[in-house]
Amino acid sequence: MAGLSGRSAVAVHALAMLANRRGGSLTSAEIAESLDSNPVLVRRVLGRLRDARLVWSTEGRGGGWSLARAPRDITLYDAYAAVEDGQVFSRHAHPPNGTCAIGRNIGDLLDAEFRSAERALEAQLRGTTIAGLLRQVLDADSASKAR
């Protein structure tokens, strides 16, 4: 199964940080620090987000990454689609035995089930914006500080 890479989580994390910056920019090193990750990985993900026109960058002193659209206009699906390749679910890499009743018939049935699951995932991701997610993150942070 191809599955999701960690790129989606990195992309959403970066977009939420940029949304929290409210129009300002952040460097890939600043984002990487929050992720406790490598700035090179973050730059790769940000490059894909830039290609999808979700962020833009400025070079030089004082440069960095900024949102290209309002956080309320960017969904988790936008981030996912920008950075993930291929399907979440896929058939086994080797064709099954065609002389077996299961092997002969399961592929098309699995394709239909997997596509249905992917449509549900996409619908779920389209229902959450970066602005909404950021609100949840900040609310969770406020609640944890109040304890």
Side-chain angles (χ1 to χ4, degrees):
M1 180 184 326
L4 289 173
S5 72
R7 290 185 302 263
S8 288
V10 171
V12 170
H13 189 122
L15 291 168
M17 286 190 69
L18 292 170
N20 193 44
R21 193 64 167 207
R22 299 173 195 228
S25 64
L26 291 169
T27 66
S28 54
E30 290 170 315
I31 296 169
E33 184 178 337
S34 176
L35 282 156
D36 201 14
S37 183
N38 187 312
V40 173
L41 167 72
V42 172
R43 278 192 292 277
R44 285 186 192 135
V45 169
L46 288 167
R48 286 182 173 219
L49 294 175
R50 181 186 53 222
D51 293 346
R53 296 187 169 105
L54 299 175
V55 301
W56 57 275
S57 63
T58 53
E59 295 191 22
R61 191 167 184 78
W65 297 87
S66 303
L67 292 179
R69 302 193 313 219
R72 70 178 176 278
D73 296 330
I74 302 172
T75 67
L76 298 188
Y77 178 77
D78 295 327
Y80 160 79
V83 301
E84 295 297 343
D85 298 318
Q87 299 173 304
V88 174
F89 301 104
S90 61
R91 289 188 192 194
H92 188 274
H94 304 287
N97 184 338
T99 63
C100 169
I102 303 297
R104 199 172 37 248
N105 295 295
I106 199 165
D108 291 340
L109 297 169
L110 274 179
D111 287 345
E113 289 296 321
F114 289 167
R115 186 62 202 130
S116 178
E118 286 177 1
R119 282 193 300 269
L121 170 66
E122 291 167 5
Q124 178 70 35
L125 295 175
R126 281 186 176 101
T128 303
T129 66
I130 294 298
L133 184 68
L134 177 60
R135 256 191 317 277
Q136 291 177 56
V137 168
L138 296 176
D139 289 347
D141 190 55
S142 292
S144 71
K145 288 178 181 176
R147 289 184 214 152

